[in-house]
Amino acid sequence: MTRSELPLHRRTITVTAYAEGGDGISVEAELSDVRPWAQPPADVVHRMVLAVRVRLADMVVVHADADMRTFPHAECPLITPVFDGLVGLSVAAGYNRAIQDRFRGVLGCSHLHELARALGPAVVQAAISANAGLRYAGEQSHDPRSTAGVLNSCHIWAPNGVGLRKLDAGWVPGTGPRPVPPLKTFEGREPGTSGA
């Protein structure tokens, strides 16, 4: 297979989370579609941002804002208020189905829909990071099993998977080396010790 060194298209999605005062986080997702072969201003096709604020206690979106910074048609931004419909959604349960029902196809914008899809797992990971940061600072975090919010997301977090068994054996997320050692490292240790 041969290919040109100059890409035809480059899509970049970045997601960044920030701690909010009190019991929340804000998460901003940005999508950029670029044609590296084109000259400015035709090189950037899309640049769109979807930002949410989430209450950590129940993982519910309490604020949403969609912004189109670069777009192909003058009418594109008219759809951004629809994404206020993220408010009230739980990122922990039924999120993917809800965004499909509310924003897919002609109900929304395919690019902002893509960002909404990316936000779900990123918010869950950011919540895990927020709890790990609290524990690392010696502060009380949410439920120490809050990592179980990723239940059924992969083989580690299967209902009887090694992630939950490590938690039960005393692993404290955010402590110890990376990667987290095997389960046998934690078995028989005092709860709350990393085993490393």
Side-chain angles (χ1 to χ4, degrees):
M1 177 156 105
T2 62
R3 69 175 190 194
S4 167
E5 289 303 312
L6 186 62
L8 289 173
H9 190 85
R10 179 177 294 120
R11 171 168 284 186
T12 306
I13 296 177
T14 57
V15 182
T16 308
Y18 303 91
E20 289 283 338
D23 182 31
I25 56 174
S26 61
V27 183
E28 182 177 287
E30 181 173 339
L31 178 145
S32 173
D33 278 327
V34 176
R35 294 176 177 155
W37 51 267
Q39 296 297 314
D43 59 335
V44 179
V45 182
H46 301 107
R47 185 167 169 246
M48 301 179 182
V49 175
L50 186 57
V52 296
R53 196 165 37 249
V54 176
R55 190 172 48 232
L56 285 174
D58 57 6
M59 299 294 283
V60 169
V61 176
V62 296
H63 180 78
D65 184 51
D67 184 24
M68 293 189 179
R69 298 177 181 171
T70 304
F71 45 89
H73 299 277
E75 297 84 1
C76 286
L78 298 176
I79 199 68
T80 59
V82 169
F83 287 85
D84 293 347
L86 288 164
V87 173
L89 291 182
S90 169
V91 180
Y95 179 77
N96 289 333
R97 162 98 39 200
I99 62 169
Q100 289 284 46
D101 292 345
R102 294 177 189 203
F103 310 118
R104 185 178 55 185
V106 298
L107 299 174
C109 160
S110 62
H111 307 94
L112 290 172
H113 177 255
E114 185 72 19
L115 287 178
R117 288 179 47 211
L119 275 175
V123 166
V124 170
Q125 190 64 55
I128 292 168
S129 292
N131 282 319
L134 289 172
R135 286 188 297 274
Y136 185 78
E139 297 177 30
Q140 181 66 32
S141 70
H142 292 77
D143 177 359
R145 290 180 60 96
S146 61
T147 306
V150 295
L151 194 61
N152 291 317
S153 64
C154 73
H155 69 106
I156 296 297
W157 295 109
N160 193 29
V162 69
L164 292 177
R165 294 192 343 250
K166 285 180 182 180
L167 286 170
D168 290 340
W171 168 53
V172 176
T175 65
R178 288 285 211 195
V180 176
L183 176 61
K184 66 182 178 189
T185 306
F186 301 98
E187 292 173 333
R189 301 205 181 259
E190 284 293 314
T193 61
S194 68

